[in-house]
Amino acid sequence: MPTLILVRHGRSTANTEGLLAGWTPGVALDERGAAQAAALPGRLAGLPLSEIVTSPLQRCQETIRPLLDARPGLRPHTDERIGECHYGDWSGRKLAELKDEPLMEVVQAHPSAAAFPGGESMRAMQTRAAEAVREWNARVERDHGPDAVYLMCSHGDIIKSLVAEALGLHLDLFQRISVEPCSVTAIRYTRLRPFLVRLGDTGDFASLAPREEPSDDEAPVGGGAGAP
């Protein structure tokens, strides 16, 4: 079965402003995010990508644009099922404000029970994304063979939930996974089981350096902004 390359979108204006973007329209890559996207073709140059699938949201579309320019033979497919979690009434709000919401503790400690007001549950988010991957795996294998490699450009919580699903982890453990902007995660699917072969690879270790401000014990909802 195919190998899936999961790319989180580059750093966005919402990331740097500390906002939970969700499906808020008009959220673009910031200057650093655009540079991350521009570097993506070089990072993936050795991979014979058979298909590119992307979230419909602007920040993902902008992230894969340089890759598509470098590979004019590939046509992108948009799949809403790998779009960001529908955060509902939380969308567009400051993450600093959301820390005081009682639901945030559930999101952190028991995400399988978390449902966003006016939005969707985290279980529903994971289910739709996993269904999309299963369908695309079958399609890619049918059209390109069992050793094909394809790419999905998506969002932090979506990618974390797919990694948890591939590893057989309960959704309540997915907040232990971290994927930075424009990081590359690779899952090789087989008849018996998936293999996680890369996780959150940016090729940059700056995010591991000590920070001037103490690090937060909570997992960043939506994925965080990455290295400063």
Side-chain angles (χ1 to χ4, degrees):
M1 295 179 69
T3 296
L4 170 60
I5 307 300
L6 288 161
V7 175
R8 185 184 168 200
H9 62 79
R11 197 173 75 175
S12 73
T13 54
N15 292 145
T16 48
E17 292 170 9
L19 300 176
L20 185 61
W23 285 69
T24 304
V27 177
L29 299 183
D30 67 5
E31 185 176 351
R32 179 171 180 170
Q36 291 170 332
L40 195 58
R43 293 170 61 198
L44 301 178
L47 289 177
L49 298 175
S50 59
E51 301 281 1
I52 293 180
V53 187
T54 180
S55 157
L57 295 173
Q58 179 179 340
R59 51 198 184 274
C60 286
Q61 302 277 339
E62 291 180 355
T63 298
I64 64 163
R65 191 169 298 150
L67 183 60
L68 291 170
D69 289 343
R71 303 193 187 203
L74 284 176
R75 179 175 62 88
H77 305 273
T78 298
D79 194 325
E80 291 196 358
R81 295 174 297 177
I82 62 167
E84 181 64 283
C85 184
H86 290 276
Y87 296 117
D89 297 344
W90 280 26
S91 298
R93 292 182 59 187
K94 288 274 190 183
L95 287 165
E97 297 173 1
L98 293 170
K99 281 187 175 184
D100 297 327
E101 294 280 353
L103 178 60
M104 182 60 84
E105 186 175 0
V106 182
V107 170
Q108 292 293 323
H110 192 23
S112 66
F116 296 98
E120 69 179 334
S121 69
M122 301 200 92
R123 283 186 300 165
M125 173 200 74
Q126 183 186 45
T127 297
R128 63 172 163 85
E131 286 177 351
V133 167
R134 283 191 286 271
E135 289 183 18
W136 276 102
N137 280 349
R139 178 173 173 175
V140 169
E141 182 174 11
R142 181 196 68 207
D143 294 345
H144 303 283
D147 296 324
V149 180
Y150 74 106
L151 181 146
M152 282 185 169
C153 185
S154 188
H155 306 266
D157 281 349
I158 294 285
I159 294 172
K160 287 162 57 178
S161 75
L162 289 172
V163 170
E165 199 262 351
L167 292 175
L169 296 178
H170 197 284
L171 185 60
D172 286 347
L173 301 179
F174 101 126
Q175 297 290 29
R176 302 183 183 194
I177 299 166
S178 176
V179 289
E180 291 198 2
C182 223
S183 63
V184 174
T185 294
I187 302 173
R188 180 173 297 126
Y189 290 87
T190 74
R191 297 295 177 192
L192 295 180
R193 65 183 65 85
F195 291 90
L196 179 65
V197 292
R198 292 287 189 280
L199 176 61
D201 189 341
T202 63
D204 178 4
F205 295 99
S207 64
L208 302 181
R211 302 193 181 188
E212 294 181 5
E213 298 180 0
S215 59
D216 199 330
D217 289 337
E218 292 189 348
V221 181

